[in-house]
Structures are given as C-alpha cells and as structure tokens.
Amino acid sequence: MSALRQSLVLALCLFLLQIVGAILAGLVVRSEFDQRVEEDLSARFSAIASEIQARGFDPAHYPNDGKEAVYFQADTASAASAPEGIFALRGLFDDDRWDRSPETPLAMSGGHWYYYAGEAGGSVLVVGSNLGTGTFTLIIVPLTFFSIGLAVSLIAVLLGAVFSFHSQKRLSRMARVLDQVALGQLEARVAPAAARDDLDDLAQNIDRTLERLEVLFNQSRNIAANIAHDLKTPLARLRLRLENALLLEDPEESKDNVAAALTQADHIIAVFEAFLRIARLESGNARKRFALVSLAEIAAEVATTFAPVAEDAGYEFTTRISSSRRVLGDAVLLTQMLTNLIENAMRHTPPGSRISLIASQTELGVADNGPGLPPGAYSEVIKPSVRLDRSRTTPGAGLGLALVKAISDAHDARLLLSPAADGGLYVRARFSAQEIVAEK
Amino acid sequence: MHVLLLEDDGEIGGWVRDGLTRSGHVVDWFTSGREALIAATTSDYEVLILDRMTPDLDGLGVLKTLRATEVMTPVLFLTALGEVEDRVEGLEAGADDYLSKPFAFSELEARVAALGRRALRPSAAEATVLSCGDIKLDLLKQNCTRRGEPVDLNTKEFRLLEAFMRSKGRVLTRNMLLERVWGLNFDPTTSVVETHVSRLRGKIEKPFGDTVIRTIRGAGYVFDP
C-alpha cells in the first residue's frame, strides 16, 4: 500500500501548505487594507476639517448612515492635547461634550468602526468609518483561503487515491509475481494489459527477464539431468567391472576387468570434460582469445589430419575448400568443431560412405551421404545428450553436436543442419557478416 | 632424477610419489606451497611438479616467485579438469608443461621424463638437421632421408617424425603427440595418432625392414632406432 500512503502524505503536505498560505495571505491583505482605510479616513478627515474651518460644525451635515459618524468637541483645551491618527476607539464618546452626527449613539456597536481623531478649527474632530462587516480581513479572507485549500486538498487526495490505487494494484501484482518466482514458479508473468507508462515498461522488463531466466534455468536443469543420465551408465559399468575384479579368482580375468574399468573411467572423464567445455563456451569466456583465423587453413589442416583416419576406417574422404575469408575465432575450437562433425559422420554412417569437408565462403561444415536424419530431428540432435534411438548402439557421449553448437554459438555463427545433396546430413556453421574479413 | 612434488591431496600425492620412485626418481613431496618454494630455491631439482590449488601459497604463486628469482627448473603444472584459461595462465607464468587431473600415471611419467631431459639438452631446439642412426631430418629443407634414400613424408608425418626424433628413447603418449604435432588440446575419439603413426611406419620402417617406433601398450610410443 505504499503508493496510496505516499499520495495521502503528499495531499496532507499540500493541505498544510495551503493553510500556511491562507494565514500569510490574511496578514498581507489585512495590513494592506488597514493602510487603505487610514488613507481614506485621513482624506475624509481633512475634508471635514476644512469644512468645519470654513463654516463651523453642523451635525445635520453629517447624517449617520451607518457608514460614517462625525463627532466634534468645541473644546480648545483638549484640542491642544488631542492625539492625531487612527484609532479603534471605544467608550470615548460616553458624555455629552460631543456634538455628533444625528442618530449616532454614544457608543458605537455593531460592525467594525475605525476612527480618525485630530484637531480641526481649534477643536477636536473625530471621523468614524464603519468597515461594514469588519470581519472581512480577519475572518473571511483566511476562511476563503482555508476552504479553497481544503477543497483543493480533498480533490488532490481523491485523485491521488484513484491514481495510486491503480499503480498500487500493478505494483502489488509485480511483487506477487516476484514472490512466486522466488518460490520457484518461474512460469509466473506480470503480463501488463498495455504498454502505456513506465510501470508497464517495468512489467514488460520483468517478464522478459523471467522468460530468459526460465529458459536458462530449464537448460541447466536439463543439463544436470543429462549429466546424471550420461554418467550413470558408465558408472554402473565401472562398478560392475571393479566388483568382478574383486570377486574373480583368476588373476588374468581380474586384470581384464580392471582394464575395462579404466576404460569406463576414461569415458566418464571424457563426458565430464565435454560438459565442462560446453558450459565454458556458453559462459562466453572463449571470446577473449579470439583472433583472425583463416577458414581455408583450418579446413586444410583438419583434412590432412582426418583424411587418413577416415580412409583407414573405410570411408571416402573429400575436401571442397573455396573460402578465402578470415573470421574472428579460435582455431583450436573450430578444429574441434570440424573434428566432432567428422567423427559424428563416421559414427553414424556405414563404412563406404562419403564424408566431405566443406569450407565455402562463409561456411565451415561437413556433409555425408549416409542415411541422414529423420525429418523433425534436426533441432533435436543439437541438444546435449540427445542421441536418436537409431544411434543408441553406436558409441559416443551424445555430446558431439551439442559441443559443435556451443562452438558455433561462441563464434556468433548459425549452425545449419540440412539434408545433403546426395541424401545424407550436411552440418555447417555460417559465420555472420561482421565476423568475416576478406583475406589479404 | 630429483623431483619436487607439491600436492596437498594425500592420496594423489602418495600415488605420484610411489609411482615416480618406482620408475627410479627421487621424490620430495610437500603439501604446502610455502615449504615447496623454500625447498625449490634451496635444493637442486631437475623437475618440479606443482599442483595448482594448494594451501598457504598456490602452485601458480610458487611458479611465479621461482621464475621471478630466475630459478628456471622445468615445471609441470597439475590442475583439476584443465580450463583452457588455466592452462594459458600456467604456461604464461612459465610452466613448461601442463597436465589436468584426472590423469594416467603413464602420462605423468612420460611428461616428467621429457621435462628432465629437456633441462639437460636445451640446445637441441636450435638444430636444423636432426639425425638418429641412419635417419636424417632436414628441418629447413623439410626433407627426410634414411640410409641415404629420400623418404617422402607429408607435413603431418614430418612433424610426427620430428617429435619422435627430438625425444629419442623416451615414451611419447598419445596426448603429447596430439599437442605437439597437431596442436590439439582435446582428445579426438578416433584413432588420429594411431593412423598417422601407422602411415609413418609404412614409409620409414616397411621399406627398410626394421622397427624404429615401438608401441608401449597403454602408454604410447618410443622412437628407438
């Protein structure tokens, strides 16, 4: 509820500011008003004083219309000591020494009176002015400010509440989703209805992050499961062999079993290494050692290494190198990629098949004319540990193509799997344009 | 040979020490990097085997300190499942060879032997003509003759024979050959080394009717004309 609270606090601050403003405005208006009254009153006093000077005091001249009252005292003695200025006088006129406007009571009441006293024609003249409902400056102005302030504040609180309730709802939703994620429900999403403001952007950001997290999390969960799966079989075999070695009487047989156990241990290490290599490549560390390497040179080097191997195993090995490009990459990794592809081809095609190492302008790959892949298996085979049922009986860790994919990804290349021209499988990495430099 | 071993794992340390002792080496085994460093600077060793992760001072620290004080004894670096970065870092710090755990003892033995001899004959690297018995290898002209007759080798076979001749009489493991001849730091599942060795034999042995490359089962090859 923090948004609602925030808006209430803001509204309260606004309200307090309005009150302070009202008080200040009241004070300013009042002092301004007092000055005006004094000026008016003193002007009026001067006018009456000069009339008295000329014609003497005639109360009938100054009827009390409820707005003005004039008092006159023909007493020269007190005139000398009479104060001059504006007063809010009370009780001064309680005797009959004063001549005054007709119907003017001795003590004024009702309304707010100001008096201007001074000397006129050798006597004392007092001019009073009723400010009407004199509460004007003292009460009405502040009250107006106060009530307007209150109204504005209330409206602000209401608007704030409406807006903040809306934001609050969305914020709470995000918090709830994040709570769910913390509890392991990675599929939870905020899913904002529209993209109108910063909060919606934030929600979309959260969703995108969760999406990526979910993919990565599932990936590592799968990899963990795959490691377990891939290591369990060789571990079982290893255990079996060691147990045999321990139980068998014949030392020769024991020795054979230990040798077989060693082979299994080496296989386990190889699987483990392959997983580590993939993980390392996926972490993106490989890029640090990238340099410009020639696709043609790598392909030629791999060909001289593997052509004899493939030929001795009964395969036909051909090379088609037409690339003249350099790419930013790691020669050892690219060699390993081609090695894995060649070894995969040898593993999954019958002897006598043709294996072709191809380095075209922007691609590096291996094709064979073996049985190829069943349709639909093309995206499946590059996942770690996926071995199609057909290959369950052929050796291999099932990591070959996953490593190829990881190497290809590390080079920002696209790994393409397609049927080869003569029916087999053609796997190649296509390097993206910015990684390619024409050879000098 | 006098070998220093820095390894904090009791089982692996004991296994390496016993194995190397059996092959006729004298092994001083330390479990702390500090002690190993003191020993390496005060006594004369022919090979140092340093584990990367050890208490007080790790193997890399020991190596860097030694090289900084101009102790140039050959160093074989050991590490758990070798990261390529670790390997590069170790070699840059001055290690002469690198072996990642878990390893076969034959591999360690062959590499230790290679390092020891390397220390004794540092000038062999500069020779332009190698000759062992009746086999001659001209590194500049890239040609090979045996008993005066030219032997036609392709680049890989040439490099392979060169590697053999440089370590005459010592075991070269598959991995050592993969690293030296092919520059591969991974193990292809196919028989790359076997195939090329067999082809080389077809050219260097078969026409002359003898054996110069012996296969040591479970270990590797020895060139011994």
Side-chain angles (χ1 to χ4, degrees):
Chain A
M1 289 307 279
S2 63
L4 194 56
R5 204 162 52 227
Q6 241 173 32
S7 81
L8 281 174
V9 168
L10 270 176
L12 190 67
C13 287
L14 185 66
F15 182 61
L16 286 175
L17 276 175
Q18 304 256 20
I19 289 178
V20 171
I23 291 170
L24 281 177
L27 288 174
V28 169
V29 166
R30 189 173 171 186
S31 92
E32 195 65 27
F33 191 80
D34 281 354
Q35 207 179 334
R36 271 294 172 75
V37 167
E38 189 173 347
E39 276 168 16
D40 285 356
L41 213 49
S42 95
R44 183 74 186 134
F45 178 88
S46 308
I48 294 175
S50 52
E51 278 176 25
I52 290 170
Q53 190 81 45
R55 295 192 302 265
F57 183 69
D58 176 11
H61 251 93
Y62 311 104
N64 184 354
D65 53 1
K67 284 188 178 151
E68 188 181 67
V70 177
Y71 303 86
F72 189 73
Q73 190 178 42
D75 176 359
T76 46
S78 54
S81 63
E84 181 156 342
I86 193 160
F87 304 98
L89 295 176
R90 261 183 207 286
L92 188 70
F93 315 111
D94 284 358
D95 51 52
D96 45 11
R97 283 184 293 157
W98 293 90
D99 279 336
R100 50 185 182 266
S101 313
E103 287 130 46
T104 302
L106 284 176
M108 302 302 292
S109 63
H112 211 81
W113 285 86
Y114 274 71
Y115 300 96
Y116 198 95
E119 187 264 332
S123 301
V124 180
L125 172 68
V126 173
V127 180
S129 175
N130 190 354
L131 302 183
T133 45
T135 50
F136 181 67
T137 52
L138 285 178
I139 298 168
I140 289 188
V141 171
L143 199 69
T144 310
F145 271 91
F146 181 82
S147 45
I148 288 176
L150 191 67
V152 166
S153 300
L154 275 175
I155 292 169
V157 168
L158 277 174
L159 282 178
V162 169
F163 282 127
S164 68
F165 182 70
H166 191 55
S167 300
Q168 185 69 53
K169 226 170 63 183
R170 293 189 292 164
L171 280 175
S172 304
R173 179 158 171 74
M174 287 184 217
R176 220 170 28 248
V177 164
L178 289 177
D179 280 346
Q180 283 175 321
V181 171
L183 290 173
Q185 294 170 32
L186 281 171
E187 66 284 352
R189 293 289 180 277
V190 183
R196 283 168 310 193
D197 56 13
D198 287 358
L199 271 182
D200 289 331
D201 286 349
L202 181 63
Q204 280 179 337
N205 253 329
I206 290 178
D207 277 0
R208 269 198 300 277
T209 309
L210 289 179
E211 192 101 20
R212 181 90 189 112
L213 261 181
E214 193 185 3
V215 169
L216 286 177
F217 184 77
N218 285 341
Q219 236 170 33
S220 63
R221 191 152 55 184
N222 283 346
I223 287 176
N226 284 333
I227 291 179
H229 176 263
D230 276 20
L231 290 181
K232 242 178 166 165
T233 316
L235 278 171
R237 290 196 194 124
L238 174 69
R239 198 187 178 287
L240 193 97
R241 290 296 190 171
L242 289 175
E243 197 172 322
N244 274 350
L246 196 66
L247 296 178
L248 288 173
E249 303 280 320
D250 182 4
E252 268 312 305
E253 268 187 74
S254 286
K255 224 173 160 179
D256 287 349
N257 274 302
V258 171
L262 213 53
T263 310
Q264 288 302 330
D266 285 343
H267 177 65
I268 291 165
I269 293 166
V271 171
F272 212 79
E273 284 258 31
F275 270 119
L276 281 182
R277 270 172 200 267
I278 291 173
R280 216 143 54 209
L281 283 166
E282 284 175 348
S283 76
N285 267 340
R287 271 200 105 72
K288 282 185 277 183
R289 291 189 317 280
F290 277 13
L292 279 179
V293 292
S294 153
L295 294 182
E297 276 170 30
I298 291 172
E301 183 81 10
V302 170
T304 52
T305 303
F306 283 92
V309 178
E311 281 158 14
D312 282 11
Y315 292 88
E316 190 190 329
F317 193 90
T318 63
T319 316
R320 291 210 302 274
I321 299 176
S322 57
S323 177
S324 56
R325 304 296 178 92
R326 282 173 185 274
V327 300
L328 208 51
D330 182 321
V332 175
L333 286 178
L334 293 175
T335 303
Q336 177 155 32
M337 181 177 89
L338 290 178
T339 303
N340 280 24
L341 289 177
I342 292 169
E343 288 178 348
N344 263 331
M346 287 171 66
R347 198 172 291 138
H348 299 298
T349 58
S353 308
R354 186 173 59 246
I355 297 170
S356 311
L357 177 58
I358 301 163
S360 63
Q361 282 305 325
T362 60
E363 294 178 356
L364 206 51
V366 171
D368 63 59
N369 66 347
L373 289 177
Y378 286 92
S379 64
E380 196 67 7
V381 291
I382 50 179
K383 292 179 186 162
S385 278
V386 167
R387 298 178 62 204
L388 300 178
D389 281 340
R390 186 154 47 83
S391 64
R392 285 279 173 215
T393 50
T394 45
L399 291 165
L401 266 181
L403 189 55
V404 167
K405 173 91 166 77
I407 292 174
S408 163
D409 287 350
H411 285 82
D412 276 345
R414 262 181 65 198
L415 191 69
L416 304 169
L417 284 86
S418 61
D422 41 10
L425 175 64
Y426 181 22
V427 186
R428 69 245 188 241
R430 179 181 291 165
F431 294 89
S432 59
Q434 66 265 33
E435 305 289 330
I436 302 171
V437 182
E439 197 149 9
K440 283 170 255 161
Chain B
M1 273 199 288
H2 199 187
V3 178
L4 178 145
L5 169 65
L6 168 62
E7 167 64 71
D8 62 326
D9 182 272
E11 205 162 326
I12 297 176
W15 172 69
V16 170
R17 183 196 53 196
D18 295 347
L20 288 178
T21 308
R22 256 200 309 281
S23 337
H25 303 294
V26 179
V27 182
D28 292 342
W29 173 22
F30 298 93
T31 53
S32 126
R34 209 171 291 280
E35 287 169 32
L37 179 61
I38 293 166
T41 43
T42 51
S43 328
D44 214 14
Y45 290 100
E46 280 161 278
V47 175
L48 310 176
I49 303 172
L50 303 178
D51 183 45
R52 180 122 195 207
M53 303 291 284
T54 51
D56 325 328
L57 184 63
D58 68 354
L60 198 65
V62 174
L63 174 61
K64 281 183 174 160
T65 316
L66 283 175
R67 292 298 187 246
T69 51
E70 311 236 307
V71 175
M72 302 316 273
T73 318
V75 167
L76 172 63
F77 228 49
L78 296 183
T79 182
L81 286 168
E83 291 255 347
V84 182
E85 288 77 24
D86 285 354
R87 186 198 308 266
V88 171
E89 202 181 5
L91 294 179
E92 275 171 0
D96 300 83
D97 203 354
Y98 201 96
L99 196 53
S100 60
K101 292 175 187 171
F103 50 83
F105 185 76
S106 54
E107 190 77 41
L108 175 75
E109 193 184 11
R111 285 173 192 258
V112 167
L115 285 179
R117 301 286 159 73
R118 192 188 289 177
L120 289 179
R121 284 189 313 170
S123 63
E126 283 112 56
T128 56
V129 178
L130 300 175
S131 67
C132 297
D134 51 8
I135 302 177
K136 259 203 177 117
L137 212 54
D138 189 323
L139 299 179
L140 289 182
K141 291 183 192 148
Q142 292 275 305
N143 65 25
C144 167
T145 55
R146 182 159 193 212
R147 293 179 196 160
E149 286 175 40
V151 179
D152 186 26
L153 301 177
N154 70 26
T155 50
K156 288 291 168 231
E157 290 157 355
F158 190 89
R159 298 259 310 270
L160 188 57
L161 183 58
E162 182 192 338
F164 276 128
M165 290 175 76
R166 283 191 190 280
S167 31
K168 190 180 133 202
R170 276 176 286 136
V171 176
L172 279 173
T173 64
R174 277 185 75 221
N175 286 333
M176 287 164 87
L177 288 171
L178 281 171
E179 284 168 20
R180 288 179 196 183
V181 179
W182 287 272
L184 300 182
N185 60 12
F186 59 93
D187 190 2
T189 53
T190 45
S191 49
V192 171
V193 177
E194 293 79 351
T195 303
H196 285 268
V197 168
S198 142
R199 296 223 165 179
L200 176 63
R201 276 175 170 160
K203 290 177 177 177
I204 201 91
E205 292 178 345
K206 222 171 170 191
F208 304 93
D210 62 355
T211 303
V212 293
I213 301 167
R214 279 188 293 124
T215 307
I216 312 292
R217 200 172 161 260
Y221 302 91
V222 175
F223 177 75
D224 213 356

